[in-house]
């Protein structure tokens, strides 16, 4: 799309973007950086997720800043995971193991710290198990295919 004329036709291969009000665009950018910060905190703390916040950051930047969205998707560390999620909802096996381990540790901390009644413990366990099952049933990231050479 021509930046000078928002009513012009989008360029070939470009995602069409609606023209956002400056305030809404700024809000999405702030939200994106907030999610990036939460993702960084999640990388440092074992009980807080990382990837989900980075996925949300890429979504926020996709709504507001093609440059920041491209930075997220092309980042050498977390770009491949974000692209795999966008393309087919894939979660790498290692991330699945870490997520399920974090869920188990989180439940153990809840059980030990809160000492809930049996029904509350069962209710929380059912919710966490549902989350773990959803994670495990996502497709895994496909291995990179070799490039055909003549």
């Amino acid at each position: 799309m021509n930046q000078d004329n928002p009513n012009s036709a989008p360029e070939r291969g470009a995602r069409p973007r609606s023209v956002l009000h400056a305030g809404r665009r700024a809000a999405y950018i702030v939200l994106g950086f907030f999610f990036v910060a939460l993702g960084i905190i999640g990388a440092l703390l074992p009980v807080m997720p990382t990837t989900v916040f980075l996925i949300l950051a890429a979504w926020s930047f996709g709504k507001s800043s093609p440059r920041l969205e491209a930075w997220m998707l092309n980042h050498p560390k977390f770009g491949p995971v974000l692209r795999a999620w966008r393309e087919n909802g894939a979660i790498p096996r290692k991330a699945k193991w870490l997520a399920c381990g974090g869920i188990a540790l989180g439940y153990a901390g809840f059980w030990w710290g809160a000492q809930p009644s049996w029904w509350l413990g069962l209710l929380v366990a059912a919710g966490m198990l549902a989350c773990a099952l959803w994670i495990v049933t996502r497709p895994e990231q496909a291995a990179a295919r070799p490039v055909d050479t003549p």
Side-chain angles (χ1 to χ4, degrees):
M1 179 183 291
N2 185 348
Q3 296 293 340
D4 298 329
N5 183 0
N7 296 325
S8 67
E11 295 174 13
R12 183 179 177 98
R15 283 178 27 182
R17 296 192 187 275
S18 62
V19 178
L20 292 178
H21 183 272
R24 183 175 287 173
R25 183 175 182 267
Y28 276 121
I29 289 173
V30 168
L31 190 62
F33 280 115
F34 174 71
F35 287 137
V36 167
L38 289 178
I40 291 169
I41 292 168
L44 302 175
L45 297 177
V47 296
M48 190 167 162
T50 301
T51 307
V52 68
F53 292 119
L54 296 178
I55 289 170
L56 289 170
W59 172 82
S60 298
F61 290 146
K63 294 278 192 184
S64 58
S65 172
R67 184 178 57 83
L68 290 171
E69 179 189 27
W71 171 75
M72 293 280 303
L73 295 175
N74 294 319
H75 191 276
K77 191 74 166 172
F78 46 80
V81 173
L82 295 174
R83 288 191 306 273
W85 176 258
R86 275 209 178 163
E87 291 167 7
N88 55 9
I91 300 174
R93 184 172 292 169
K94 181 179 177 184
K96 289 180 182 186
W97 279 101
L98 289 172
C100 290
I103 288 171
L105 284 174
Y107 183 76
F110 162 74
W111 185 263
W112 179 77
Q115 298 178 349
S117 61
W118 68 270
W119 63 269
L120 181 59
L122 189 63
L123 182 67
V124 170
M128 293 179 122
L129 182 60
C131 291
L133 286 173
W134 184 85
I135 290 167
V136 170
T137 58
R138 298 304 97 205
E140 291 186 8
Q141 197 168 359
R145 287 182 276 167
V147 178
D148 292 332
T149 54

